[in-house]
Amino acid sequence: MNNSAEIIATNLDLCAEILVRLPTKSLLKFKCVSKQWLSLISNSQFCLSHTRQHQHNGFLEPTALLLRVEFTVSPEFDVVPLKHYSDVPFFDYVNVPNIILRQSCNGLLICESLDDVGGCDVSRFFLCNPTTKKFKMLSFPRNPVKDCEFFINLAFDPLKSPDYKIISIREVAEGSYVFEMDIYSSSTDSWTVSRFTFSVDEESCKFEDVVFCKGVMYWNSYGNESLCFDVEDESFAKIPMPTPRNNALEIHRYFGESRGTLYLAVRYHSFISLELDVHEMASDYSHWFLKRRLNLGDAVKVFPELKLGCVGFSPGFSGVCFIQSEKEEKGKVVVWADGKIICYDFNDVAWKMLYDPGPGVKIGSDSHPFEHLHEARFLAYKYFENLSCI
């Protein structure tokens, strides 16, 4: 080692200034250089500084999308790279069976594990960072009531705070739609058994379908309104939801956000329907407006290899999510379509191929339990490659 390199390697302050600017994958390799570098790169303050160093105008940008088939239990998922090829670690480092990815939030994942105990499914939940392969099994101050609904949500924004909160929502009696909420704070490593008891209509809130945006948890709903929860103030509010088109029957609502803006894409129930209504929430959160009515038939004109609409009531597209880079004025709607990943770019007003795994290869073909691939509904989760601590 020459004299200059030795000075840099042994001066931890100078070394930290250099390392914090490097990509995450490089840092994971550099942990092996020395015990000092391992200690430095594993330090929670360094990890936080590194994450904030790589933000883009106040927001983190996802490295990849993780796709899983709804209603399936598997520790694996399909990876769609957004920036570069991402070899996302699967859950081989977590010794639990039958894993279901439930939520992704700025680098951390909430997962559920289903175990067969005496003929009954027993759920366990854990928090993990797949980049660092660190995880934490979760325990709760109040366990789920038998045959009642139980949901876990995560609130985490490393650009605001290194701490995170976990929300447990527990139905108090079967079919009552009355819920209690408990809150875990990583800053105190403790649960607060909340004073909140609230009720919802059957279709008014989907607690398993959550978006954390600007400090507030928003829940999807198939009704005319839904709930949101300000995590810092610990207060509830109601938000409107889009009105169905001419009272048409909706089959799926895809709820998401990109760079602080909420989006909702709606697919309607009909024998052959290639339409997708994309709604955007107003900046004051008072109402939704229809951003665009998309027709996947227009995508087929651009990509004739896509075979959509060939199975009744299963048009062959799903897995809708929303992304936007710092350089783009408007975002994109990302769609799984017949095994390819396409997007509608609002900047260029055009359908584009986002990821093609190759001729004859269809994403998801090895992971669906249905007779036809188009019958599967894919769910998309954003993967943020960072060193966030648990």
Side-chain angles (χ1 to χ4, degrees):
M1 182 183 294
N2 62 42
N3 190 49
S4 298
E6 186 174 359
I7 291 173
I8 294 174
T10 56
N11 186 327
L12 289 185
D13 290 337
L14 180 57
C15 191
E17 286 296 316
I18 296 172
L19 293 178
V20 78
R21 290 167 169 77
L22 297 181
T24 305
K25 284 191 176 297
S26 298
L27 293 181
L28 295 175
K29 295 177 181 179
F30 290 162
K31 284 185 174 184
C32 301
V33 170
S34 68
K35 290 184 178 179
Q36 284 184 318
W37 280 32
L38 172 62
S39 177
L40 171 62
I41 297 172
S42 302
N43 178 269
S44 59
Q45 189 57 50
F46 175 86
C47 293
L48 180 64
S49 298
H50 181 266
T51 299
R52 292 176 173 176
Q53 177 73 29
H54 294 268
Q55 57 88 23
H56 299 272
N57 197 23
F59 296 95
L60 298 177
E61 293 185 1
T63 309
L65 299 178
L66 310 180
L67 297 184
R68 77 171 180 89
V69 179
E70 189 178 31
F71 306 126
T72 60
V73 178
S74 173
E76 298 187 352
F77 34 76
D78 289 289
V79 179
V80 178
L82 297 178
K83 291 186 176 181
H84 52 76
Y85 177 73
S86 299
D87 184 18
V88 182
F90 292 138
F91 297 112
D92 54 351
Y93 52 93
V94 184
N95 187 26
V96 294
N98 303 326
I99 296 172
I100 305 173
L101 176 56
R102 290 300 187 191
Q103 184 190 350
S104 172
C105 191
N106 292 316
L108 301 184
L109 306 180
I110 287 285
C111 300
E112 180 181 7
S113 168
L114 295 176
D115 199 2
D116 188 340
V117 178
C120 298
D121 285 336
V122 176
S123 291
R124 291 190 293 169
F125 293 86
F126 64 91
L127 178 71
C128 76
N129 182 335
T131 304
T132 61
K133 297 188 177 183
K134 301 296 184 181
F135 70 95
K136 177 179 182 178
M137 302 303 298
L138 303 178
S139 58
F140 306 101
R142 295 186 289 188
N143 290 323
V145 178
K146 185 177 177 4
D147 297 324
C148 290
E149 302 282 3
F150 187 72
F151 307 98
I152 301 298
N153 297 155
L154 172 64
F156 177 55
D157 184 355
L159 301 185
K160 304 296 183 184
S161 169
D163 302 315
Y164 57 84
K165 291 186 177 181
I166 297 172
I167 312 295
S168 74
I169 301 174
R170 170 181 178 268
E171 190 179 25
V172 299
E174 183 180 2
S176 67
Y177 299 103
V178 177
F179 296 90
E180 298 171 329
M181 177 185 287
D182 300 328
I183 303 175
Y184 170 85
S185 173
S186 65
S187 63
T188 60
D189 190 27
S190 63
W191 284 89
T192 298
V193 179
S194 175
R195 64 186 182 279
F196 296 114
T197 299
F198 58 97
S199 60
V200 298
D201 295 333
E202 181 177 356
E203 293 296 327
S204 67
C205 228
K206 298 296 182 183
F207 294 113
E208 70 275 21
D209 193 357
V210 62
V211 171
F212 181 64
C213 178
K214 295 183 177 179
V216 178
M217 283 186 166
Y218 297 90
W219 291 290
N220 195 4
S221 168
Y222 281 74
N224 293 324
E225 65 179 16
S226 188
L227 285 176
C228 63
F229 181 73
D230 188 306
V231 176
E232 186 64 31
D233 296 339
E234 296 191 0
S235 60
F236 283 98
K238 291 184 178 181
I239 60 169
M241 298 301 287
T243 302
R245 181 204 313 173
N246 298 324
N247 295 316
L249 179 62
E250 298 176 354
I251 187 63
H252 290 308
R253 285 187 171 191
Y254 298 94
F255 191 37
E257 69 86 31
S258 183
R259 300 189 71 82
T261 299
L262 294 178
Y263 295 95
L264 185 78
V266 180
R267 182 161 72 84
Y268 292 91
H269 187 67
S270 65
F271 187 73
I272 297 295
S273 175
L274 298 181
E275 291 187 334
L276 186 71
D277 286 354
V278 180
H279 302 268
E280 181 177 322
M281 175 66 87
S283 58
D284 63 358
Y285 297 91
S286 62
H287 66 280
W288 296 84
F289 61 89
L290 180 64
K291 189 173 183 68
R292 195 168 187 92
R293 178 164 294 156
L294 301 177
N295 191 311
L296 274 290
D298 296 329
V300 175
K301 295 175 184 177
V302 181
F303 307 108
E305 67 271 23
L306 299 179
K307 306 303 180 186
L308 303 181
C310 58
V311 179
F313 299 106
S314 300
F317 68 90
S318 63
V320 179
C321 71
F322 312 91
I323 59 174
Q324 180 181 347
S325 71
E326 177 189 16
K327 298 177 181 179
E328 295 173 325
E329 181 181 349
K330 301 176 183 178
K332 300 183 182 76
V333 182
V334 180
V335 181
W336 176 94
D338 192 32
K340 313 293 185 182
I341 304 299
I342 63 175
C343 69
Y344 185 83
D345 191 329
F346 286 110
N347 297 281
D348 297 332
V349 195
W351 286 101
K352 298 179 179 180
M353 183 65 68
L354 186 65
Y355 179 63
D356 186 344
V361 180
K362 293 190 176 185
I363 295 174
S365 58
D366 295 331
S367 60
H368 75 94
F370 303 94
E371 290 185 7
H372 196 286
L373 182 60
H374 288 187
E375 295 176 352
R377 183 196 179 202
F378 288 83
L379 304 178
Y381 301 85
K382 295 177 182 178
Y383 167 60
F384 298 83
E385 189 178 77
N386 59 44
L387 300 174
S388 295
C389 297
I390 293 177

